[in-house]
Amino acid sequence: MADQTTLTGNPSAKLELPADLTAQLVDLVREIDFGALPSDVQRRARHSLTDTLGVQALGSVTEPVAMLRGVVLNPQPDGATVM
């Protein structure tokens, strides 16, 4: 059964997605040999992953993430610059 998903920015447009889309994507990614990818693709993949994790972390309301958000958004001049 497909899910009816609203497209971002257009509530009247619908996109039919397979119910097991996440599992299909995981299976696809599992077969990728990261070392066989060109270095530029590896760099972009790393950037995309860290960007996604950062967006997720900054959107979280848990205490450890709140602490991280404080350090990232309000760095101290004499504080650490590497995490």
Side-chain angles (χ1 to χ4, degrees), residues 1-7 14-27:
M1 181 175 135
D3 293 328
Q4 280 284 324
T5 302
T6 301
L7 296 174
K14 300 289 183 183
L15 180 63
E16 296 239 355
L17 300 174
D20 65 339
L21 178 61
T22 301
Q24 290 181 30
L25 291 172
V26 168
D27 290 342

Side-chain angles (χ1 to χ4, degrees), residues 32-51:
I32 295 173
D33 178 4
F34 190 77
L37 298 174
S39 61
D40 187 49
V41 173
Q42 290 180 12
R43 182 182 55 78
R44 289 178 185 260
R46 285 186 187 104
H47 174 80
S48 180
L49 177 62
T50 55
D51 183 56

